[in-house]
Amino acid sequence: MTDDERAEVEGAVIAAAALYTTLQPLSMSELRDRLLPCNRLGASLDMAAWREMPFWTVAEAAALSLGKNPHLLDEGSPVADEALPTIRSFREQHERIRRAVAIGLVGHDGMVIPQKLADWLGDAALREALTEPPSPQDRKREEQRVPRPEKGKKPTAVASPAPTQVAPDEKPTAENANQQTKQAEMPRSGLVRLKQILAPGGPLPLSKSTFWAKVKTGEFPQPVRLGGTTAWRAEEIWELINKRNPPTKTKR
């Protein structure tokens, strides 16, 4: 056998070995794990929608912290084999977060506060995903959701002075609540966002966590979901404010 022939044979052997390595079948456990819905190529995670939510369930938090779509990976996943890496990681993460919620590290009442979760995990990627500014497409969708004025009516712009700072969770008095109400100029009807409701931009001097806790217990009005936007009916918020701070009667 000549040197050229020997080189050709060696090249063929090397090529065959490389091909065998590439096509070598996966183990059954690895194959099943890759075929899970959350691991398929078509599975996508829309973090823009999830970061709009002020609270996550423990199962949602476990999936999101692993970069998985909670709709495709949850406690009721069809495959419950802990031998699969994804299922095992999900269950371990679920238990960690459940315990953290139980002692108040990342949430309360069985619900997880996303930013606290990211800080507790030290997860820079999750923290960045939660603080990432909206994309041009998100802003365009947000603009399309803004209610347009009725035909024949022109929108009026009201210049509001800088609102008075009120400490979070401070019980409102008649004076500061009325002053906040006048300054905020929150609409009397229609849908309003949370920043229009809570101080310093709105008339209600409460923190977000307190407000959402009372929404959950039913003490405060329930939100209206419009796609990825959360809003409240202005009439219900004003009714709440009037109940918490009834107008004082002046003596004559």
Side-chain angles (χ1 to χ4, degrees), residues 25-171:
L26 298 171
S27 66
M28 183 57 67
S29 177
E30 292 174 324
L31 181 60
R32 289 174 61 199
D33 192 71
R34 290 193 184 187
L35 292 178
L36 287 174
C38 59
N39 290 331
R40 292 175 187 169
L41 295 177
S44 60
L45 174 61
D46 186 5
M47 199 62 186
W50 287 102
R51 67 168 169 254
E52 287 286 330
M53 301 181 183
F55 292 100
W56 295 338
T57 66
V58 174
E60 290 168 351
L64 291 166
S65 65
L66 296 174
K68 304 296 183 181
N69 188 335
H71 295 314
L72 302 178
L73 178 65
D74 58 24
E75 294 167 304
S77 294
V79 179
D81 187 353
E82 290 191 2
L84 304 186
T86 300
I87 299 297
R88 185 170 61 251
S89 298
F90 172 76
R91 290 192 171 183
E92 291 173 353
Q93 191 77 324
H94 186 284
E95 181 61 16
R96 288 182 62 202
I97 296 173
R98 185 194 66 77
R99 292 186 179 186
V101 172
I103 60 176
L105 286 178
V106 297
H108 51 81
D109 298 327
M111 302 301 288
V112 179
I113 300 174
Q115 193 61 53
K116 284 190 175 182
L117 175 67
D119 294 339
W120 179 69
L121 291 174
D123 191 331
L126 180 59
R127 190 182 298 115
E128 183 179 352
L130 291 173
T131 57
E132 184 180 351
S135 64
Q137 292 82 359
D138 293 336
R139 281 194 290 266
K140 187 175 180 180
R141 286 196 296 266
E142 185 67 24
E143 291 172 359
Q144 292 173 348
R145 294 190 192 110
V146 176
R148 296 182 180 179
E150 298 178 10
K151 291 184 179 180
K153 293 185 179 180
K154 295 183 179 180
T156 56
V158 180
S160 302
T164 303
Q165 295 293 332
V166 179
D169 299 339
E170 178 184 344
K171 188 175 182 180

